[in-house]
Amino acid sequence: MSTTTDLVLDEEPGATPKAPRTTSAKGAKTRSTIILHVLLMVGAITMIIPFLWMIFTSVKTNAELAANPPTFFPTEWRWENYPEALDAARFDLYFRNSFIIATGHTLITLVFGSMAGYSLARIPFRGRNIVFLAMVAMLMIPTYTKIVPQFLIVKMMPLFGGNDILGQGGSGWLDSWWALLIPGGLSATSIFLFRQFYLSLPKELEEAARIDGLGEFRIFAQIYTPLIKPAIATVGLLTFQESWNNFLWPLLVTTSENLRVIQVGLAVFQQLDATAWQYLMAGTTLATVPMVLLFIFAQKYFIQGFTNTGIK
């Protein structure tokens, strides 16, 4: 059987021996591609198995959930778990509250985050670099370390909830929509992403707009912002997802059932001595549906946004 080396030896004298290197390079590229695809498949399977386990558990019977060893696929698909889970608590109210809070956080982030990102990227002012470095430093602070200061600020908010001008004597914003909407409405991550996108746009647009007599706000709103749709989709989706899945903060600052969100409402199925796994998984599956639909409709801009951000 003829090998690559044999073919090279049979070539005319003086010919450039490119065949072995080309074949070797193609082989190495093929092996790298196969290894990459195998790793991606392992990662994809690892990510999707918990999601499938959640869906399959949501349609199992009590007897199957108590079986030992446990089964992955249900032998009897009990779809009645879904309406029974919805009847166990006021999930329509919890869905509405989560939607209002997630939408509010998304709008606040898109409006004020884009303004802050634009100012850090396109408007020269004294101390801009220091402000940006402080913003980057905030990215390093773990979220849970900010819980206690945020709680004290909300509780001691002056002139709200019976508080005096010094924030004493009442409950402040606790157990109100203010506590759910204002804290966490804007993040340093969103400002950083917006700044990176505004930096990528050409300066000539700004100069042409100024020659035409446009002010700073019209340059921001009419010239630059329409060009960063991937950034708007990326930041909007990340903000909505983080707000929708937030559990700890709504649990800390609210006690009224009328302000309860879906993630806190699912705790009704978790009791001290037993957990109704089929109802908990059914409610969790329903709570996941809005995020899946949102990602499906915005995935084009979402992926493009992350790609552009990674290039900078």
Side-chain angles (χ1 to χ4, degrees):
M1 182 178 178
S2 175
T3 63
T4 304
T5 306
D6 298 334
L7 292 175
V8 173
L9 294 176
D10 293 340
E11 289 180 349
E12 294 295 330
T16 304
K18 294 181 178 178
R21 285 196 290 269
T22 303
T23 305
S24 176
K26 288 183 178 178
K29 185 178 180 181
T30 303
R31 286 193 295 273
S32 300
T33 304
I34 293 174
I35 293 173
L36 176 62
H37 286 180
V38 169
L39 292 176
L40 290 176
M41 288 178 63
V42 171
I45 293 172
T46 305
M47 295 292 291
I48 202 171
I49 281 180
F51 190 73
L52 293 177
W53 181 85
M54 176 185 70
I55 296 175
F56 291 151
T57 303
S58 69
V59 292
K60 287 182 178 178
T61 61
N62 283 330
E64 197 166 1
L65 288 170
N68 191 17
T71 59
F72 186 75
F73 296 100
T75 55
E76 179 185 352
W77 296 68
R78 193 174 188 278
W79 297 104
E80 294 82 0
N81 290 340
Y82 282 86
E84 291 175 1
L86 293 176
D87 291 338
R90 299 176 62 185
F91 281 101
D92 55 340
L93 177 66
Y94 304 158
F95 270 102
R96 188 206 66 174
N97 293 343
S98 290
F99 183 77
I100 292 175
I101 295 168
T103 304
H105 281 170
T106 303
L107 292 177
I108 292 173
T109 297
L110 292 182
V111 173
F112 295 103
S114 60
M115 289 182 177
Y118 174 82
S119 63
L120 288 174
R122 314 301 309 193
I123 301 178
F125 60 89
R126 182 176 296 179
R128 184 175 67 170
N129 291 333
I130 296 176
V131 173
F132 175 66
L133 290 176
M135 198 72 64
V136 174
M138 289 176 63
L139 298 176
M140 312 300 173
I141 301 175
T143 302
Y144 293 105
T145 61
K146 298 181 290 185
I147 289 291
V148 173
Q150 279 187 348
F151 182 84
L152 293 177
I153 292 173
V154 167
K155 184 179 183 303
M156 301 178 69
M157 186 60 60
L159 306 179
F160 281 90
N163 281 348
D164 56 19
I165 191 66
L166 299 177
Q168 303 294 325
S171 59
W173 279 354
L174 292 180
D175 203 28
S176 70
W177 282 103
W178 295 105
L180 293 171
L181 288 171
I182 302 303
L186 186 60
S187 66
T189 305
S190 63
I191 297 175
F192 176 78
L193 288 175
F194 275 123
R195 176 187 177 274
Q196 297 305 101
F197 273 89
Y198 281 118
L199 279 178
S200 67
L201 300 178
K203 188 176 177 61
E204 289 75 13
L205 290 174
E206 175 185 349
E207 294 172 348
R210 293 190 191 284
I211 292 174
D212 291 339
L214 269 64
E216 198 67 53
F217 183 78
R218 291 187 64 184
I219 295 175
F220 157 74
Q222 297 181 352
I223 303 298
Y224 277 129
T225 301
L227 299 176
I228 60 165
K229 290 179 182 176
I232 295 173
T234 303
V235 175
L237 187 58
L238 289 176
T239 304
F240 193 93
Q241 180 258 343
E242 183 179 1
S243 179
W244 183 270
N245 292 330
N246 196 359
F247 170 78
L248 182 58
W249 181 251
L251 180 66
L252 287 176
V253 299
T254 60
T255 55
S256 172
E257 186 178 9
N258 291 329
L259 295 175
R260 189 168 293 174
V261 298
I262 182 65
Q263 305 300 339
V264 179
L266 289 174
V268 72
F269 301 121
Q270 292 179 292
Q271 304 299 326
L272 185 62
D273 53 349
T275 299
W277 288 107
Q278 70 276 29
Y279 298 143
L280 179 61
M281 293 299 108
T284 306
T285 302
L286 293 176
T288 308
V289 170
M291 292 310 310
V292 174
L293 294 177
L294 190 61
F295 178 77
I296 290 175
F297 287 111
Q299 61 174 327
K300 174 184 174 183
Y301 292 114
F302 184 69
I303 296 173
Q304 186 179 351
F306 267 109
T307 304
N308 292 344
T309 305
I311 292 174
K312 305 298 176 298

